[in-house]
Amino acid sequence: MQILKGVDAAKKINEEILATMQEHKDLKVTLGIVRVGERGDDIAYERGVIKKCEKLGFSYELFKFEADISNDDFIKEFDKINENLEIDGILMFKPLPKQIDEKEIERRIDENKDLDGISPINMALVYAGDDSGFAPCTAEAVVELLDFAGIDITGKRVCVIGRSTVIGKPVSLLLLKKNATVTICHTKTVNMEEECKRAEILVAAAGVPKMVKASFVSEGAVVIDVGINVDKDGNLCGDVDFDEVSKKASVITPVPGGVGSVTTSVLAKHLLRAALKKLD
């Protein structure tokens, strides 16, 4: 059994970014980070993104807003960031507080700055299999990790648990583009264990701690755990019961240290693409 850690895949992406930056030594790359409120998971990811920017020589601006900001005020402030020519790409933390019209923000964001694929235009490009847009970073990180590990996706039976627009749906489309045969499972799926057990590659993105047990997994399957949860003891864990499933899987990603480790590097890759596109 191989534990597929994200650090090596992330390192490869980082090296590619640094090589491109060497070719464009005068290029200034700036990320706009938009955060509303003080959610702990947002702040933790923000720290990782800032650390990545500093490592790669990117600039960043942090735009923080109180959790009770009104919808009208936030839209005004967001439009300023969106129209700021110094900002090459935007990372906006979601979900936004309930008083803010999240769908309106998704419609307003400049698709060329939309690094995490939240705009309807980028969603449509992912659906169409068009690489000119930006896919959600975590969904793309799953594919990057499989590619890095040399796992051939072509013709494989893949089961994705989860149908969110952030991970489940886009990762299914990205895997389909690589010629996988994809099944999506969700809360209304009948006999989910049996559906999952047919898969040669299982991607867990349900957001439920340790829901994937050994009974969900066929012998020798590749298991990619996208979930980041806190268990009853206060420890970080994934959607997969690692102790159980690792005994049957041929390859499995840990949490933490798996897909999440690659996500910030994919974000950085998108940011560089956005800056180069603007340069062109």
Side-chain angles (χ1 to χ4, degrees):
M1 186 272 298
Q2 175 191 357
I3 297 177
L4 179 56
K5 296 183 178 180
V7 61
D8 292 328
K11 183 180 177 183
K12 180 174 181 288
I13 295 170
N14 296 345
E15 288 170 351
E16 290 168 355
I17 290 170
L18 289 170
T20 303
M21 290 292 287
Q22 279 295 311
E23 297 171 9
H24 302 272
K25 292 185 178 180
D26 295 329
L27 181 66
K28 183 183 178 184
V29 180
T30 304
L31 172 66
I33 304 171
V34 181
R35 173 162 57 83
V36 183
E38 300 289 330
R39 284 166 45 110
D41 52 348
D42 289 349
I43 293 169
Y45 184 49
E46 180 185 289
R47 287 197 199 103
V49 169
I50 288 172
K51 186 177 178 181
K52 183 73 66 175
C53 285
E54 290 172 344
K55 183 175 182 179
L56 296 172
F58 294 166
S59 301
Y60 61 88
E61 286 191 51
L62 178 56
F63 302 92
K64 296 189 292 184
F65 302 97
E66 296 297 326
D68 61 355
I69 187 172
S70 72
N71 184 58
D72 288 345
D73 286 346
F74 181 71
I75 286 175
K76 286 176 186 173
E77 293 301 321
F78 182 78
D79 283 347
K80 291 178 189 175
I81 300 164
N82 207 26
E83 294 162 8
N84 185 341
L85 297 179
E86 298 298 315
I87 301 293
D88 297 299
I90 295 172
L91 169 64
M92 188 183 71
F93 289 106
K94 292 173 32 179
L96 293 168
K98 60 184 179 180
Q99 78 274 13
I100 296 176
D101 186 346
E102 194 168 287
K103 292 297 181 186
E104 177 61 23
I105 299 299
E106 290 170 357
R107 286 190 291 269
R108 296 176 90 91
I109 192 169
D110 181 345
E111 69 271 16
N112 294 311
K113 295 184 177 184
D114 171 31
L115 303 182
D116 212 9
I118 65 172
S119 78
I121 291 173
N122 278 320
M123 287 183 184
L125 290 170
V126 172
Y127 179 83
D130 187 331
D131 292 333
S132 65
F134 294 116
C137 295
T138 302
E140 191 170 318
V142 170
V143 179
E144 289 276 3
L145 202 47
L146 288 167
D147 284 348
F148 178 79
I151 296 167
D152 185 13
I153 301 170
T154 301
K156 292 291 197 308
R157 295 186 302 277
V158 178
C159 185
V160 176
I161 307 175
R163 54 178 170 177
S164 74
T165 57
V166 178
I167 302 169
K169 288 179 182 176
V171 79
S172 299
L173 291 166
L174 294 176
L175 292 166
L176 189 63
K177 186 169 187 265
K178 293 181 78 68
N179 300 311
T181 300
V182 182
T183 298
I184 302 175
C185 288
H186 47 79
T187 53
K188 302 299 182 185
T189 299
V190 178
N191 296 326
M192 188 186 293
E193 284 189 26
E194 292 305 313
E195 291 294 340
C196 293
K197 205 167 184 177
R198 294 189 184 100
E200 297 164 276
I201 300 172
L202 179 61
V203 179
V208 180
K210 300 183 180 180
M211 71 164 286
V212 177
K213 304 295 184 182
S215 59
F216 283 65
V217 180
S218 61
E219 199 71 42
V222 173
V223 180
I224 307 296
D225 191 352
V226 185
I228 300 179
N229 312 290
V230 178
D231 65 17
K232 60 184 179 181
D233 299 318
N235 300 313
L236 275 179
C237 68
D239 289 357
V240 175
D241 189 327
F242 186 89
D243 292 339
E244 273 195 24
V245 174
S246 60
K247 294 171 185 174
K248 292 183 75 175
S250 61
V251 178
I252 188 169
T253 59
V255 175
V259 176
S261 303
V262 185
T263 301
T264 52
S265 291
V266 171
L267 177 75
K269 182 173 76 168
H270 286 184
L271 177 60
L272 179 57
R273 270 182 56 201
L276 290 170
K277 192 172 183 179
K278 191 175 76 172
L279 189 67
D280 290 340

